Amino acid sequence: MSGARIMSGSRTSRREFLKQAASGASAALLPLPAFAQGAGGRVVVIGGGFAGATCARTLKRIEPRLAVTLVEANATFIACPFSNGVIAGLRELDAQRFGYDGPARDGVALSFVPAVAVDPPSHAVTLANGAVLQYDRLVLAPGIDLNWSGLPGYDEAAAARMPHAWKAGEQTLLLRRQLEAMADGGLVVIAAPANPFRCPPGPYERASLIAYYLKTRKPKSKLIILDAKDAFSKQRLFQNAWAALYPGLLEWVPLSSGGKVNAVDAATLTLTTDFATHKANVANVIPPQKAAGIAALAGVADRTGWCPIDPVSFASTLQPDIHVIGDAAIAGAMPKSAFAANAQAKICAEAVATLLAGGAPAEPKLINTCYSLVAPDYGISIAGVYHPVKGQLVDVEGAGGVSPLEAPAAFRAEEADFANGWFNTITAEVFG
Amino acid sequence: MRVPRLVIAAIILLSPVAAPAAPPGAAACSGCHASGAGVATTVPRLAGRAAADIVAAMQDYRAGKRPATVMDRIAKGFSDDETKAIAAWLAAQQQ
C-alpha cells in the first residue's frame, strides 16, 4: 500500500525502501524536504465536489506520505442534493454550502484556481494563473458542463430567463424566485433531458417538491414535465405518489406522447415539441450534459462527451496515469449521483495509492443509494450493488432495487428521515 | 549530504502509518453510516460495532427476517465471506 519515491525518480516498494534505508545504502538519495512534500508520490485531484474532495481526503488517510493537491475553482462548494428543497422553499441555500477546512485538516493542499490545461505526456496540469502542477497520478472529478449546443434556443443567456438549476447556486435561487413571483393559476414547465445526465431521479423529485409548493401555496397552478424519454428512475413510485398527493396538478408527458422539447424561446418562455407549443409562466429547462470541459482538454472524454474508465481502478482508458470519477465518468450501471461519486472516489483512492506503491488494485464492489423526496415527509429510494464484469460496472444480480410500491406512510416518513440523515452524513465525510 | 541512520529511523517511526485497505464494498458504507461522531442522523453508526452483530444483522436483512427500508436490497449483494470481511473492517474502526 505504501510507496516511496526517491529523488532520482526511480520507484521502489516500501519494503525495499525500508531495507535500503535501514542499510543506509540509499540515504544519500533521500532529501528530507521531499519527504514532507510527498515521498509517496504526487497526486493532483481536479474538482472539489463529492467525488474529488472525497478522493483527496481518502488518499491522505490511506497514505499520509502522498502529496495531494485539490484543484477547485470555488472556495465554497454548493451541493446539488437537496437543492430541490431550496427551490420549493423548504430549506435555504446556506444549508447547501460547504468549505474545504476538512480536507485541509487532513493535509490536502488546496488550490482555488481553475485548471485550464492537462498535458498527459508531461504529467502536468496548468492553472489559470499560469502555475504548473506536476503529478504522478491525476484524478479528474470535474462534474458536468451543460451542453449549450444540445437544445436549440437554449444558451447561457436563455438560462437567465429559463433556469436549468442543474448546478446549485444562483440558478437555484433564480428558479425559486420565479416560482415565488408566479401568480396562482400559473403554468410551470420542466423539460427533462434524455439519458445520461446528472441525478437521474432529480427532475422528478424537483417536479414533486414544486408540486408540493404549488399545492400548499398556489393550488390553481399546474406543472407539466416534458420528457425526452419514456422511462425514468423510480418511475412507478413517483407516479403512484403523484396520483395520491398531487392529482390534477402534475402531468408527465413522455417521449412517445410528444414530450421531447425540440426548441425553446426564452423571450416568450415557450417550449416546442413535435406536437405542441407550451407557453410557461415558469420554465425550468434541464438541458443535455457532458463531462466538464477539462475532461475533453485532457483527452479523457470520448465522442459521447463522457469519460470511459477501467471499473477496477477508475483509470481512463484513453490516457495513462489519469483517473476519472463521479458524474464525468462512464460508470456502467452506476448512476451519476453524489453517493456513487463518493463511493467511486474511495475505490479510486485505494487504487491510486496501490498503483503508486507498485501494486495491483483489488477488484472492488460498490454501492449506490439515492433518496428522493416526493413531499417533505415522503421519501423513496433506489439502491444498487455493483461489480466489474468484462470491463463494465454491472449490477450484482439479486441485489438493489427501489422502495416497495405498497408501504404505509410511516415507511415513507422513515425514508424521508434517512434521506436527511444521508445528506448530513455524506457532507460530513466529504467536507466536515 | 549524508543523512545519519538514526535520523532515517526516526523519520520512519514518526511517519504516519498507512491505513489498512477496505475489503470490497466496505468503503461505501460510510455514505450513509457516519464514520465520525456528531452527525445529525438516525442511521446507526457501525464503526467499532462488534463484527458478529454486523454479520448477524446482514444475514437477517438478506433473509428478510429483519425490518428494513434499504438494507435488505443492499445485503443481497454480498456473500457471507464478503459480509464477514466488511464487518471485521468496520469493527476495527475507531468508535
Side-chain angles (χ1 to χ4, degrees), chain A residues 152-362:
Chain A
Y154 198 69
D155 55 16
E156 284 179 272
R161 287 276 290 143
M162 306 171 105
H164 52 80
W166 219 240
K167 290 183 173 193
E170 186 46 45
Q171 279 274 311
T172 311
L173 296 174
L174 175 61
L175 182 54
R176 173 173 167 163
R177 284 194 303 269
Q178 291 184 348
L179 289 167
E180 287 168 348
M182 188 184 80
D184 191 3
L187 174 66
V188 180
V189 178
I190 295 177
N195 294 321
F197 62 101
R198 162 180 280 178
C199 190
Y204 314 97
E205 178 190 68
R206 176 172 294 176
S208 305
L209 293 182
I210 290 176
Y212 177 83
Y213 169 78
L214 297 176
K215 181 184 175 182
T216 50
R217 308 288 286 275
K218 293 165 186 177
K220 292 180 217 147
S221 309
K222 199 173 174 204
L223 170 64
I224 298 178
I225 307 168
L226 298 175
D227 209 328
K229 53 197 175 301
D230 278 325
F232 59 89
S233 179
K234 305 179 216 178
Q235 182 170 343
R236 288 190 64 196
L237 285 163
F238 273 115
Q239 289 179 316
N240 287 357
W242 293 341
L245 301 176
Y246 313 118
L249 198 160
L250 194 164
E251 181 191 353
W252 175 63
V253 184
L255 170 68
S256 56
S257 301
K260 182 177 187 295
V261 174
N262 296 322
V264 300
D265 179 36
T268 55
L269 292 184
T270 51
L271 304 92
T272 307
T273 67
D274 280 346
F275 300 144
T277 296
H278 301 264
K279 181 156 181 12
N281 297 103
V282 173
N284 169 212
V285 176
I286 305 166
Q289 298 147 36
K290 58 186 177 179
I294 194 72
L297 292 175
V300 297
D302 69 13
R303 281 178 299 176
T304 66
W306 306 96
C307 306
I309 48 102
D310 162 62
V312 173
S313 64
F314 286 86
S316 167
T317 59
L318 301 179
Q319 297 291 344
D321 300 331
I322 302 181
H323 301 246
V324 186
I325 51 176
D327 291 350
I330 300 172
M334 291 193 87
K336 299 188 187 302
S337 72
F339 191 112
N342 169 262
Q344 291 166 9
K346 289 179 271 192
I347 298 302
C348 180
E350 292 267 10
V352 166
T354 301
L355 287 163
L356 286 172

Side-chain angles (χ1 to χ4, degrees), chain A residues 46-140:
Chain A
I46 297 179
F50 287 94
T54 302
C55 192
R57 291 189 90 166
T58 308
L59 281 162
K60 287 301 289 185
R61 286 175 183 177
I62 292 172
E63 180 43 271
R65 292 178 187 85
L66 291 173
V68 180
T69 304
L70 180 60
V71 177
E72 162 59 47
N74 302 301
T76 300
F77 177 73
I78 307 181
C80 275
F82 274 68
S83 67
N84 286 331
V86 178
I87 292 167
L90 298 168
R91 59 196 275 128
E92 297 306 317
L93 193 66
D94 274 349
Q96 305 295 114
R97 294 184 208 271
F98 298 90
Y100 292 93
D101 289 352
R105 216 167 40 241
D106 285 349
V108 173
L110 295 159
S111 183
F112 295 119
V113 182
V116 293
V118 174
D119 185 45
S122 64
H123 287 62
V125 175
T126 305
L127 306 185
N129 61 6
V132 175
L133 301 174
Q134 294 291 142
Y135 63 81
D136 297 307
R137 294 246 163 205
L138 172 65
V139 178
L140 281 174

Side-chain angles (χ1 to χ4, degrees), chain A residues 18 21 30 32 61-62 64-65 339 346 350 365 369 381 383 398-403 411 414-415 417-418 421-422 424-425 429, chain B residues 5 8 11-12 15-16 18-19 21-22 24-25 27-28 30-32 34 39-43 68-70 73-74 76-78 82:
Chain A
L18 289 173
L30 185 74
L32 290 177
R61 286 175 183 177
I62 292 172
R65 292 178 187 85
F339 191 112
K346 289 179 271 192
E350 292 267 10
K365 249 185 171 172
T369 303
S381 65
V402 297
S403 309
F411 190 99
E414 189 170 30
E415 289 218 280
D417 178 56
F418 287 165
W422 167 78
N424 295 336
T425 299
E429 176 168 272
Chain B
R5 252 183 239 191
I8 302 275
I11 290 167
I12 290 164
S15 296
S30 59
C32 286
V39 177
T41 175
T42 54
V43 179
T69 54
V70 72
R73 295 175 254 158
I74 291 169
K76 287 175 187 144
F78 295 93
E82 288 172 332

Side-chain angles (χ1 to χ4, degrees), chain B residues 35-84:
Chain B
S35 39
V39 177
T41 175
T42 54
V43 179
R45 288 182 65 210
L46 298 175
R49 286 272 188 114
D53 292 351
I54 298 172
V55 170
M58 286 288 277
Q59 285 171 340
D60 285 350
Y61 279 131
R62 207 159 54 214
K65 290 187 201 160
R66 190 180 165 108
T69 54
V70 72
M71 279 311 301
D72 50 344
R73 295 175 254 158
I74 291 169
K76 287 175 187 144
F78 295 93
S79 68
D80 266 339
D81 284 347
E82 288 172 332
T83 303
K84 283 175 188 163

